[in-house]
Amino acid sequence: MPIVVVHSNPLFWVRLFALVFSCVAFAVTIHGAGVGHGTGDWCVFCWAFSFAGTLLVLLVELFGLQNRAPVSWKNFPITFACYAFLLCLSASIIFPLYFLKGSQSYYQITRDYRIVATVFSCLATIAYMSEVSISKARPGEVAGYMATAPGLLKVCETFVACVIFVFITNPNTYDSHTALKWCLAVYCICFILSAGIIVLCICECTGCLPFPFARFLSAYALLAVIMYLSATIIWPIFKFDRNHGGSSSRPGNCGDYNGLCPWDREMAVAVLTAVNFVLYLADLIYSARLVFITV
């Protein structure tokens, strides 16, 4: 007689929904949404990556292989869920902007596929957000570092830094002034250190450091706040102040670009720099208040 196991763990169902929603989003897009350039490929990657990672997490937990996994299972699932949330969120914003706005000229069936992909992308985003909310550490609870507010903030910090890197891929963006090169250094240094902290936590290597990990986190958060504060001030001055060769108003030829013009990209970098400054400031506040966690 077959035995049916009914899972009462809400995490299992949230992950299952996320798996299905992300799968439908990229499957529908590939099948008939008619997207063929880099932006569409990025959205498909977001959904496919999220699907593959969630499938891996579900299989490991269904077969009880957590203790055999080469990573910390207290830190890996929530770290992946947070990245998947941010990826699906970006796809949910980018996809309709590029493929639904002004797509009345396409066949109705193609437009329908794009609408379905957008809806399921939004549902996947909600599912991953729910997983992060369920998995994060509660006050007084002993959990992995990545399940705490500072850990999740570091995921957001690295993601925002990656988006900044996308907008400054052209060396002309920062080559004109030494101060702008300092801003680039800030983005790179903080990204590398935040990513290194995430890797150390996931690989359970924090005990190998020659200094207390908690003190390092607080010191790094303070350093990152100071560095990002300087970048938040310097970037707009040298990009939008006419006295330093910038332009305070959006050029009229920006409408001729297919996508974002250079001025739009520079404004996006300024906004994202401010966003990361706020994230690092919150990280510093939480790190200072963190009594502790097991990493």
Side-chain angles (χ1 to χ4, degrees), residues 145 154 192-201 213 216-217 220:
Y145 176 75
K154 285 187 174 55
I192 292 171
L193 289 175
S194 293
I197 290 170
I198 293 172
V199 172
L200 286 174
C201 292
F213 185 58
F216 168 70
L217 291 174
Y220 165 60

Side-chain angles (χ1 to χ4, degrees), residues 13-99:
W13 293 107
V14 167
R15 286 171 178 157
L16 186 62
F17 286 134
L19 181 79
V20 173
F21 295 152
S22 57
C23 179
V24 171
F26 82 80
V28 166
T29 303
I30 293 174
H31 180 69
V35 297
H37 57 78
T39 306
D41 293 338
W42 165 252
C43 294
V44 171
F45 165 78
C46 291
W47 300 322
F49 177 81
S50 301
F51 167 80
T54 305
L55 179 61
L56 175 65
V57 171
L58 281 173
L59 290 176
V60 168
E61 297 209 339
L62 284 174
F63 288 101
L65 302 175
Q66 296 94 321
N67 294 330
R68 297 184 181 182
V71 295
S72 168
W73 210 251
K74 293 179 294 184
N75 290 305
F76 176 77
I78 189 169
T79 303
F80 175 80
C82 192
Y83 275 120
F85 161 68
L86 293 170
L87 288 170
C88 289
L89 177 63
S90 67
S92 299
I93 296 171
I94 293 171
F95 191 81
L97 286 177
Y98 276 83
F99 301 106

Side-chain angles (χ1 to χ4, degrees), residues 60-238:
V60 168
E61 297 209 339
L62 284 174
F63 288 101
L65 302 175
Q66 296 94 321
N67 294 330
R68 297 184 181 182
V71 295
S72 168
W73 210 251
K74 293 179 294 184
N75 290 305
F76 176 77
I78 189 169
T79 303
F80 175 80
C82 192
Y83 275 120
F85 161 68
L86 293 170
L87 288 170
C88 289
L89 177 63
S90 67
S92 299
I93 296 171
I94 293 171
F95 191 81
L97 286 177
Y98 276 83
F99 301 106
L100 275 182
K101 185 180 178 182
S103 63
Q104 287 80 2
S105 58
Y106 285 86
Y107 293 112
Q108 184 61 40
I109 186 65
T110 300
R111 182 173 172 80
D112 290 343
Y113 275 118
R114 294 180 178 183
I115 293 173
V116 171
T118 301
V119 169
F120 276 91
S121 178
C122 294
L123 291 174
T125 302
I126 294 171
Y128 283 116
M129 181 177 64
S130 301
E131 180 181 348
V132 172
S133 178
I134 294 171
S135 302
K136 70 178 182 180
R138 301 296 187 271
E141 180 182 355
V142 176
Y145 176 75
M146 297 308 300
T148 64
L152 295 174
L153 284 169
K154 285 187 174 55
V155 173
C156 297
E157 292 157 7
T158 55
F159 185 83
V160 172
C162 287
V163 179
I164 291 176
F165 292 144
V166 171
F167 287 126
I168 59 175
T169 50
N170 188 347
N172 293 331
T173 307
Y174 52 83
D175 270 349
S176 56
H177 295 281
T178 304
L180 295 176
K181 293 180 181 179
W182 162 251
C183 294
L184 177 64
V186 170
Y187 306 143
C188 293
I189 293 170
C190 293
F191 170 78
I192 292 171
L193 289 175
S194 293
I197 290 170
I198 293 172
V199 172
L200 286 174
C201 292
I202 291 178
C203 296
E204 292 190 317
C205 298
T206 56
C208 301
L209 297 175
F211 40 76
F213 185 58
R215 290 185 181 179
F216 168 70
L217 291 174
S218 298
Y220 165 60
L222 178 59
L223 175 65
V225 166
I226 296 172
M227 294 176 69
Y228 257 95
L229 176 60
S230 67
T232 303
I233 296 171
I234 291 171
W235 185 271
I237 289 177
F238 285 89

Side-chain angles (χ1 to χ4, degrees), residues 230-289:
S230 67
T232 303
I233 296 171
I234 291 171
W235 185 271
I237 289 177
F238 285 89
K239 284 298 180 180
F240 307 117
D241 187 353
R242 293 180 180 177
N243 295 328
H244 294 86
S247 175
S248 59
S249 57
R250 190 171 185 259
N253 62 351
C254 277
D256 300 332
Y257 282 81
N258 184 16
L260 298 177
C261 70
W263 192 91
D264 291 336
R265 290 173 176 268
E266 292 165 1
M267 178 58 72
V269 172
V271 172
L272 292 171
T273 301
V275 168
N276 241 4
F277 166 69
V278 173
L279 292 175
Y280 276 108
L281 183 61
D283 191 352
L284 174 62
I285 295 171
Y286 275 110
S287 296
R289 295 175 56 188

